[in-house]
Amino acid sequence: MQRYFVEPDLFSEDEISIVGDDVHHIVNVMRAKEGEEILVSNGTGRTALAKLVMLSSKEVKAQVLELLDEQCELPIRITIGQGLPKGEKMEWILQKGTELGAYSFFPFSSERTIVKLDAKKEAKKLERWRKIVKEAAEQSHRAVLPEILPPVSFREALKASNAYTRCAIAYEKEGGTTLHQVLDELQGDDTLLVLIGPEGGFSPEEVGIAESNGFLPISLGPRILRTETASQYVLACASYQFERKHAAAGTGGEA
């Protein structure tokens, strides 16, 4: 069954309006008819089973049949702070990170960042990135549409630390504290920001500045990971640690 995301103000308990590119997809690509059923989410956690009742070239309306209680999101909200990588790696990071449950993405430029975005390129990049995230969220049946924050500098990214329960910076030379130790300290509804460097990682000076701003340097294991792999490791570890516990709690077993 096809899934679509709409703005919260177009989503009610009775009726949903769909506009924009999704109208073309429903009407011309899927060739949907009145009476067919679809899934629609408002992007903030509410999803409905809905029946198409009106289709036009500019708008599709659907009647809500049932509000669903989906349990498809990570219990903790993880933001991936991603140092801008070269080429199309960012698109892959966003797509796979969305599939694995990232709550939001925070792109930034640091000392070893090669990619430079001017204002015009940034706007186009953000538009494309948001489309990739939306499509990945629909494909993986997310109830929350991950947010992509506008790219900032490394120092500006550090200023966001107060908005999260815990903040960490992935550093290949950190041999003591591990990601798993950080995850052990978190519980449902907590928020975690993990900064991941571009190709070449972070400089020791950047790690020191991050520490002074409340970020904990952490290891992502004994192997050196590529920048596009590191975020997936973080999300996969969190999925195993927290969703395993929730599944066990739901069946009365031990985590």
Side-chain angles (χ1 to χ4, degrees):
M1 187 176 295
Q2 290 292 317
R3 175 178 294 248
Y4 299 93
F5 283 90
V6 300
E7 295 294 330
D9 60 349
L10 299 178
F11 185 107
S12 76
E13 294 186 0
D14 301 312
E15 187 179 71
I16 296 169
S17 295
I18 300 173
V19 296
D21 293 341
D22 286 335
V23 172
H24 169 73
H25 187 268
I26 293 170
V27 175
N28 300 315
V29 179
M30 300 305 297
R31 298 187 181 276
K33 306 296 182 183
E34 291 183 8
E36 292 185 21
E37 296 179 359
I38 59 174
L39 295 172
V40 187
S41 173
N42 69 351
T44 62
R46 301 192 72 193
T47 302
L49 174 65
K51 179 175 67 175
L52 298 174
V53 294
M54 190 280 287
L55 297 94
S56 73
S57 61
K58 294 184 177 180
E59 183 181 20
V60 170
K61 288 187 178 293
Q63 176 188 350
V64 174
L65 301 177
E66 180 184 0
L67 291 173
L68 305 179
D69 181 21
E70 295 186 311
Q71 303 295 324
C72 53
E73 299 299 321
L74 280 174
I76 63 169
R77 299 190 295 278
I78 299 180
T79 294
I80 298 297
Q82 178 64 54
L84 288 169
K86 295 184 295 183
E88 298 179 354
K89 292 178 183 177
M90 189 66 183
E91 296 182 3
W92 191 91
I93 290 167
L94 293 171
Q95 182 187 64
K96 302 310 176 186
T98 297
E99 292 177 19
L100 284 169
Y103 185 78
S104 58
F105 298 93
F106 200 163
F108 64 87
S109 298
S110 59
E111 184 178 317
R112 295 173 180 171
T113 297
I114 297 174
V115 176
K116 304 298 180 185
L117 296 180
D118 57 32
K120 180 180 287 188
K121 286 183 179 179
E122 180 180 315
K124 289 184 178 180
K125 282 287 186 182
L126 278 172
E127 181 180 356
R128 175 161 175 77
W129 289 347
R130 286 170 179 149
K131 181 178 180 181
I132 288 170
V133 164
K134 179 176 178 292
E135 291 175 351
E138 290 170 348
Q139 181 273 323
S140 56
H141 280 215
R142 294 283 303 272
V144 170
L145 184 62
E147 180 183 10
I148 305 179
L149 301 167
V152 296
S153 70
F154 176 72
R155 289 182 180 271
E156 288 173 319
L158 297 181
K159 295 177 183 178
S161 61
N162 291 335
Y164 299 88
T165 307
R166 205 79 166 92
C167 296
I169 180 169
Y171 188 45
E172 67 273 12
K173 294 183 181 179
E174 170 57 42
T177 306
T178 67
L179 170 65
H180 300 84
Q181 289 172 299
V182 174
L183 295 176
D184 278 339
E185 299 174 359
L186 299 174
Q187 53 189 347
D189 294 330
D190 279 347
T191 56
L192 172 65
L193 169 62
V194 180
L195 298 186
I196 294 166
E199 297 88 350
F202 295 108
S203 69
E205 291 74 22
E206 286 176 322
V207 175
I209 295 171
E211 281 191 273
S212 66
N213 280 268
F215 283 75
L216 179 68
I218 61 170
S219 166
L220 299 184
R223 292 164 295 281
I224 302 299
L225 304 178
R226 290 179 180 269
T227 184
E228 66 268 32
T229 309
S231 58
Q232 316 310 308
Y233 176 87
V234 169
L235 294 165
C237 287
S239 175
Y240 175 78
Q241 181 145 339
F242 288 96
E243 293 177 334
R244 175 175 59 100
K245 289 180 179 179
H246 277 238
T251 59
E254 295 182 1

